[in-house]
Amino acid sequence: GRGIFATEPIPKGTLVIDWGNGSTAFFKAGQHWREFVVSLPRETACNVIEWSWVQNIPPEGENDDDVRIGRTIFVAFDESNLLNSADWDDVEANLRCGRPPEREGVERGPCGFHYYAARDIAEGEELLIDYREFVDLDPTGFGWDQD
């Protein structure tokens, strides 16, 4: 199996994963992603397909002009591609997407590129996310719904 495990205790609210750090490629057009994948050796292409996801990135403000805003295909090239989803045996994700609330009763920030510890995480515990927080399963818009 694969996974990422805490090598030391991680306090609640700690930034753990930063997909805005330059280790994540992105594609705005499905055709560009497909061309990239088929240009790779077969085994590498299979890995890249596993490490890819579609996410709808919300703007962080009305003047946010980040090219990644909107529906975007991402590929993680760092250890974060080894994160597993907490969608089995009633296990909850211990990492959450979006800035933690500043106080109780306030919602998290938008799910973009940052994952924070949702609770205190013990040394040796597997780091788990919830893929449903960010993955966009609607294939329309990238040409995947057409032949």
Side-chain angles (χ1 to χ4, degrees):
R2 62 182 205 157
I4 299 177
F5 297 82
T7 58
E8 60 188 43
I10 302 172
K12 179 180 179 176
T14 301
L15 175 63
V16 178
I17 301 293
D18 179 1
W19 280 329
N21 67 4
S23 65
T24 304
F26 67 93
F27 300 86
K28 294 301 284 185
Q31 182 62 32
H32 296 156
W33 177 83
R34 288 189 294 277
E35 290 169 0
F36 170 69
V37 171
V38 300
S39 74
L40 301 169
R42 185 179 182 97
E43 185 173 338
T44 303
C46 289
N47 287 330
V48 166
I49 290 169
E50 284 186 3
W51 303 336
S52 299
W53 71 95
V54 177
Q55 184 173 353
N56 191 4
I57 300 294
E60 292 193 13
E62 66 181 64
N63 294 325
D64 191 349
D65 61 355
D66 189 320
V67 69
R68 299 169 296 184
I69 290 173
R71 295 192 60 221
T72 305
I73 304 167
F74 291 94
V75 182
F77 290 110
D78 64 5
E79 63 279 354
S80 68
N81 68 50
L82 301 175
L83 286 167
N84 289 315
S85 185
D87 57 2
W88 43 270
D89 294 336
D90 296 322
V91 173
E92 289 191 30
N94 51 19
L95 300 181
R96 293 287 312 274
C97 186
R99 187 179 57 259
E102 295 176 12
R103 62 186 185 286
E104 291 296 321
V106 176
E107 291 189 26
R108 301 183 73 74
C111 182
F113 309 111
H114 302 104
Y115 273 78
Y116 297 84
R119 59 171 173 74
D120 290 339
I121 300 171
E123 179 179 346
E125 189 175 346
E126 184 173 8
L127 303 181
L128 298 169
I129 60 177
D130 184 343
Y131 292 168
R132 296 171 296 184
E133 279 192 319
F134 65 91
V135 174
D136 184 346
L137 298 176
D138 180 2
T140 59
F142 288 112
W144 294 342
D145 56 330
Q146 304 167 8
D147 288 327

